[in-house]
Amino acid sequence: MEVRTRFAPSPTGYMHLGNLRTALYTYLWARKNGGKFILRIEDTDQEREVAGAVDVIYNSLATAGLEHDEGPDVGGPAGPYVQSERKPLYMPYAEQLIASGHAYRCFCTKERLEEARKAAEAKGETFKYDKKCLHLSPEEIQEKLNAGEPYVIRQNVPLTGRAGFDDVIYGHVEVDCSTLDDNVLIKADGLPTYNFANVIDDHLMGITHVMRGNEYLSSAPKYNLLYEAFGWQPPVYVHLTPVMCRDTAVNENGETVEITRKMSKRKGDPSFEDLLSQGYLVDAVINYMVLLGWSPRGEREIYSLDELKQIFDLEGLSKSPSIFDMQKMNWFNAEYTRMLSPEKYLEYARPWLNKVLDETRFDYARLCELLQPRTEYFAQLPGMVDFLAEMPEFSNELYVNKKQKSDLATAASALGAVLPLLEGMEDWTEIALHDAVMAKIADMGIKNGQMLWPLRIAVSGKQSTPGGAFEIMYLLGREETLKRLRSSIRAL
């Protein structure tokens, strides 16, 4: 049997990292088994739909390298692949359930349902629809239909017995039918709810494996009741644990404590697009997200997408929530950044450098050689090199460095001695600067740090820079270096 998986996002505006991970696992399982990866847009909740969100889904999947075999934009034998365009398909199946007694029309008004909900809350009970409309006679139903009264179609969940399903991660899950509500299957506007559409669509599209978040665990028994009502074989369920993050909160005692919570755009957690806009590499994000909830065999952590297609399995999926850690994300991205060729690194770095530097003034190739080993993500670069464009204000206290045996007096002496040497130099290369300054240090009989530390501070105004004094002086050029050095000496 061909493995067929589906990624079925709602067009709500952005690619949440948890959604990206689900798409990855779904894609990898299909590719591992030589099957088909299907994209389906679930837009039945049109109040939540965001304009342009479908394009975000297409672009995110394409950027991530997750090419779908069937979908709204590429077609396929099971189309259409947008739920709102499949509207005519659902009502016949709902009518079939009504005929078999597994569903019924409900004419209850919003006001009656709200009153019933409030009454349940007042008793401290969980609201469940009371099946009032299940007991309408055929004549009463026809009368209401003739009068044009709006209605929904509800699932008729048994009052007794148990409903359950088998899940790859959680094993056998089973609940008492008496705890389940009669889901709405078809809304008053004729569109299906998610609970109904996903069952019908998964069956008609031949989906063999359903991977989705574990928030749907409680609903899956009701889905299986629908499969049983139709006499269909349910898919293999894989309910994935959530992607969490660490945060702080104030407890009832007014204390700030560390908590874990689900990632949320509203709380400032990054989406896939956010990470890319900050200069994270696609391959690094993909690699990290795959390992949030799945463990390969062994200690290795760096994998290409092609390698993951070969080794991904369901046995490695975790039963525990995963923690998204920005420091770990930065580590992955730094590893991938260091693997870039110098030419590719420059290609990525150029737009970020151009935010603060004039490329005609600086040797970008050399600058990138210095930056590449230090880069965690590319949005850092402007703040790492802005001192080259303009000398920042700084305190003379920066010259004081116990480790380098530097203080204000030794700094003033070293800089005063090296200035005439640099003013007389015409060969302004790193090698020439290095040889001349190091010879001067030897002549003065001082520690290297007593010259090189204050020289770095004097021409950069920073304690931490990509490269040391010689690299910075080369990048700045002769005139700018001497200008900065003279100004710093005057300020000492």
Side-chain angles (χ1 to χ4, degrees), residues 28 109 206 242 255 292 302 339 368 452 465:
L28 291 173
T109 64
E255 302 166 327
L292 282 180
I302 303 297
M339 290 190 286
C368 285
L452 301 182
T465 55

mmCIF file with all atom_site columns, all heavy atoms in Angstrom, residues 28 109 206 242 255 292 302 339 368 452 465:
data_model
loop_
_atom_site.group_PDB
_atom_site.id
_atom_site.type_symbol
_atom_site.label_atom_id
_atom_site.label_alt_id
_atom_site.label_comp_id
_atom_site.label_asym_id
_atom_site.label_entity_id
_atom_site.label_seq_id
_atom_site.pdbx_PDB_ins_code
_atom_site.Cartn_x
_atom_site.Cartn_y
_atom_site.Cartn_z
_atom_site.occupancy
_atom_site.B_iso_or_equiv
_atom_site.pdbx_formal_charge
_atom_site.auth_seq_id
_atom_site.auth_comp_id
_atom_site.auth_asym_id
_atom_site.auth_atom_id
_atom_site.pdbx_PDB_model_num
ATOM 1  N N   . LEU A 1 28  ? 8.830   13.891 5.584  1.00 0.00 ? 28  LEU A N   1
ATOM 2  C CA  . LEU A 1 28  ? 9.903   12.910 5.688  1.00 0.00 ? 28  LEU A CA  1
ATOM 3  C C   . LEU A 1 28  ? 9.373   11.478 5.694  1.00 0.00 ? 28  LEU A C   1
ATOM 4  O O   . LEU A 1 28  ? 9.986   10.579 5.110  1.00 0.00 ? 28  LEU A O   1
ATOM 5  C CB  . LEU A 1 28  ? 10.733  13.170 6.951  1.00 0.00 ? 28  LEU A CB  1
ATOM 6  C CG  . LEU A 1 28  ? 11.573  14.449 6.946  1.00 0.00 ? 28  LEU A CG  1
ATOM 7  C CD1 . LEU A 1 28  ? 12.214  14.675 8.311  1.00 0.00 ? 28  LEU A CD1 1
ATOM 8  C CD2 . LEU A 1 28  ? 12.650  14.404 5.863  1.00 0.00 ? 28  LEU A CD2 1
ATOM 9  N N   . THR A 1 109 ? -31.458 27.265 18.482 1.00 0.00 ? 109 THR A N   1
ATOM 10 C CA  . THR A 1 109 ? -30.921 28.604 18.247 1.00 0.00 ? 109 THR A CA  1
ATOM 11 C C   . THR A 1 109 ? -29.676 28.838 19.103 1.00 0.00 ? 109 THR A C   1
ATOM 12 O O   . THR A 1 109 ? -29.432 28.123 20.089 1.00 0.00 ? 109 THR A O   1
ATOM 13 C CB  . THR A 1 109 ? -31.964 29.659 18.593 1.00 0.00 ? 109 THR A CB  1
ATOM 14 O OG1 . THR A 1 109 ? -32.259 29.575 20.009 1.00 0.00 ? 109 THR A OG1 1
ATOM 15 C CG2 . THR A 1 109 ? -33.239 29.469 17.784 1.00 0.00 ? 109 THR A CG2 1
ATOM 16 N N   . GLY A 1 206 ? -7.164  9.207  0.432  1.00 0.00 ? 206 GLY A N   1
ATOM 17 C CA  . GLY A 1 206 ? -6.385  7.988  0.657  1.00 0.00 ? 206 GLY A CA  1
ATOM 18 C C   . GLY A 1 206 ? -5.256  8.158  1.641  1.00 0.00 ? 206 GLY A C   1
ATOM 19 O O   . GLY A 1 206 ? -4.218  7.487  1.523  1.00 0.00 ? 206 GLY A O   1
ATOM 20 N N   . PRO A 1 242 ? 3.790   18.781 21.813 1.00 0.00 ? 242 PRO A N   1
ATOM 21 C CA  . PRO A 1 242 ? 3.965   20.182 21.408 1.00 0.00 ? 242 PRO A CA  1
ATOM 22 C C   . PRO A 1 242 ? 5.407   20.657 21.491 1.00 0.00 ? 242 PRO A C   1
ATOM 23 O O   . PRO A 1 242 ? 6.235   20.074 22.194 1.00 0.00 ? 242 PRO A O   1
ATOM 24 C CB  . PRO A 1 242 ? 3.079   20.944 22.404 1.00 0.00 ? 242 PRO A CB  1
ATOM 25 C CG  . PRO A 1 242 ? 3.043   20.065 23.616 1.00 0.00 ? 242 PRO A CG  1
ATOM 26 C CD  . PRO A 1 242 ? 3.072   18.656 23.101 1.00 0.00 ? 242 PRO A CD  1
ATOM 27 N N   . GLU A 1 255 ? 6.487   36.191 43.097 1.00 0.00 ? 255 GLU A N   1
ATOM 28 C CA  . GLU A 1 255 ? 7.846   35.778 42.744 1.00 0.00 ? 255 GLU A CA  1
ATOM 29 C C   . GLU A 1 255 ? 7.930   35.474 41.250 1.00 0.00 ? 255 GLU A C   1
ATOM 30 O O   . GLU A 1 255 ? 6.995   34.919 40.664 1.00 0.00 ? 255 GLU A O   1
ATOM 31 C CB  . GLU A 1 255 ? 8.247   34.532 43.538 1.00 0.00 ? 255 GLU A CB  1
ATOM 32 C CG  . GLU A 1 255 ? 8.174   34.715 45.042 1.00 0.00 ? 255 GLU A CG  1
ATOM 33 C CD  . GLU A 1 255 ? 8.253   33.383 45.781 1.00 0.00 ? 255 GLU A CD  1
ATOM 34 O OE1 . GLU A 1 255 ? 7.744   32.382 45.228 1.00 0.00 ? 255 GLU A OE1 1
ATOM 35 O OE2 . GLU A 1 255 ? 8.814   33.364 46.880 1.00 0.00 ? 255 GLU A OE2 1
ATOM 36 N N   . LEU A 1 292 ? 13.572  18.426 17.403 1.00 0.00 ? 292 LEU A N   1
ATOM 37 C CA  . LEU A 1 292 ? 12.691  18.796 18.510 1.00 0.00 ? 292 LEU A CA  1
ATOM 38 C C   . LEU A 1 292 ? 11.506  17.835 18.536 1.00 0.00 ? 292 LEU A C   1
ATOM 39 O O   . LEU A 1 292 ? 10.439  18.109 18.003 1.00 0.00 ? 292 LEU A O   1
ATOM 40 C CB  . LEU A 1 292 ? 12.201  20.239 18.344 1.00 0.00 ? 292 LEU A CB  1
ATOM 41 C CG  . LEU A 1 292 ? 13.182  21.344 18.714 1.00 0.00 ? 292 LEU A CG  1
ATOM 42 C CD1 . LEU A 1 292 ? 12.552  22.708 18.486 1.00 0.00 ? 292 LEU A CD1 1
ATOM 43 C CD2 . LEU A 1 292 ? 13.624  21.219 20.167 1.00 0.00 ? 292 LEU A CD2 1
ATOM 44 N N   . ILE A 1 302 ? 24.014  16.969 13.161 1.00 0.00 ? 302 ILE A N   1
ATOM 45 C CA  . ILE A 1 302 ? 23.924  17.689 11.896 1.00 0.00 ? 302 ILE A CA  1
ATOM 46 C C   . ILE A 1 302 ? 23.511  16.738 10.776 1.00 0.00 ? 302 ILE A C   1
ATOM 47 O O   . ILE A 1 302 ? 24.209  15.765 10.485 1.00 0.00 ? 302 ILE A O   1
ATOM 48 C CB  . ILE A 1 302 ? 25.274  18.371 11.544 1.00 0.00 ? 302 ILE A CB  1
ATOM 49 C CG1 . ILE A 1 302 ? 25.702  19.312 12.671 1.00 0.00 ? 302 ILE A CG1 1
ATOM 50 C CG2 . ILE A 1 302 ? 25.169  19.115 10.223 1.00 0.00 ? 302 ILE A CG2 1
ATOM 51 C CD1 . ILE A 1 302 ? 24.736  20.471 12.910 1.00 0.00 ? 302 ILE A CD1 1
ATOM 52 N N   . MET A 1 339 ? 30.022  26.249 7.692  1.00 0.00 ? 339 MET A N   1
ATOM 53 C CA  . MET A 1 339 ? 30.165  25.304 6.578  1.00 0.00 ? 339 MET A CA  1
ATOM 54 C C   . MET A 1 339 ? 29.980  25.971 5.216  1.00 0.00 ? 339 MET A C   1
ATOM 55 O O   . MET A 1 339 ? 30.242  25.353 4.186  1.00 0.00 ? 339 MET A O   1
ATOM 56 C CB  . MET A 1 339 ? 29.170  24.153 6.735  1.00 0.00 ? 339 MET A CB  1
ATOM 57 C CG  . MET A 1 339 ? 29.505  23.212 7.881  1.00 0.00 ? 339 MET A CG  1
ATOM 58 S SD  . MET A 1 339 ? 28.476  21.705 7.872  1.00 0.00 ? 339 MET A SD  1
ATOM 59 C CE  . MET A 1 339 ? 26.905  22.343 8.431  1.00 0.00 ? 339 MET A CE  1
ATOM 60 N N   . CYS A 1 368 ? 34.542  39.495 5.693  1.00 0.00 ? 368 CYS A N   1
ATOM 61 C CA  . CYS A 1 368 ? 33.757  38.277 5.877  1.00 0.00 ? 368 CYS A CA  1
ATOM 62 C C   . CYS A 1 368 ? 34.604  37.119 6.380  1.00 0.00 ? 368 CYS A C   1
ATOM 63 O O   . CYS A 1 368 ? 34.109  36.245 7.099  1.00 0.00 ? 368 CYS A O   1
ATOM 64 C CB  . CYS A 1 368 ? 33.049  37.907 4.580  1.00 0.00 ? 368 CYS A CB  1
ATOM 65 S SG  . CYS A 1 368 ? 31.632  38.968 4.219  1.00 0.00 ? 368 CYS A SG  1
ATOM 66 N N   . LEU A 1 452 ? 48.863  46.304 21.771 1.00 0.00 ? 452 LEU A N   1
ATOM 67 C CA  . LEU A 1 452 ? 47.773  45.877 20.877 1.00 0.00 ? 452 LEU A CA  1
ATOM 68 C C   . LEU A 1 452 ? 46.396  46.164 21.462 1.00 0.00 ? 452 LEU A C   1
ATOM 69 O O   . LEU A 1 452 ? 45.460  46.479 20.718 1.00 0.00 ? 452 LEU A O   1
ATOM 70 C CB  . LEU A 1 452 ? 47.913  44.392 20.552 1.00 0.00 ? 452 LEU A CB  1
ATOM 71 C CG  . LEU A 1 452 ? 49.229  44.000 19.863 1.00 0.00 ? 452 LEU A CG  1
ATOM 72 C CD1 . LEU A 1 452 ? 49.239  42.512 19.543 1.00 0.00 ? 452 LEU A CD1 1
ATOM 73 C CD2 . LEU A 1 452 ? 49.433  44.811 18.593 1.00 0.00 ? 452 LEU A CD2 1
ATOM 74 N N   . THR A 1 465 ? 35.822  43.014 18.726 1.00 0.00 ? 465 THR A N   1
ATOM 75 C CA  . THR A 1 465 ? 35.734  43.334 17.305 1.00 0.00 ? 465 THR A CA  1
ATOM 76 C C   . THR A 1 465 ? 36.055  42.094 16.477 1.00 0.00 ? 465 THR A C   1
ATOM 77 O O   . THR A 1 465 ? 36.751  41.189 16.951 1.00 0.00 ? 465 THR A O   1
ATOM 78 C CB  . THR A 1 465 ? 36.733  44.438 16.925 1.00 0.00 ? 465 THR A CB  1
ATOM 79 O OG1 . THR A 1 465 ? 38.056  44.031 17.320 1.00 0.00 ? 465 THR A OG1 1
ATOM 80 C CG2 . THR A 1 465 ? 36.379  45.763 17.582 1.00 0.00 ? 465 THR A CG2 1
#
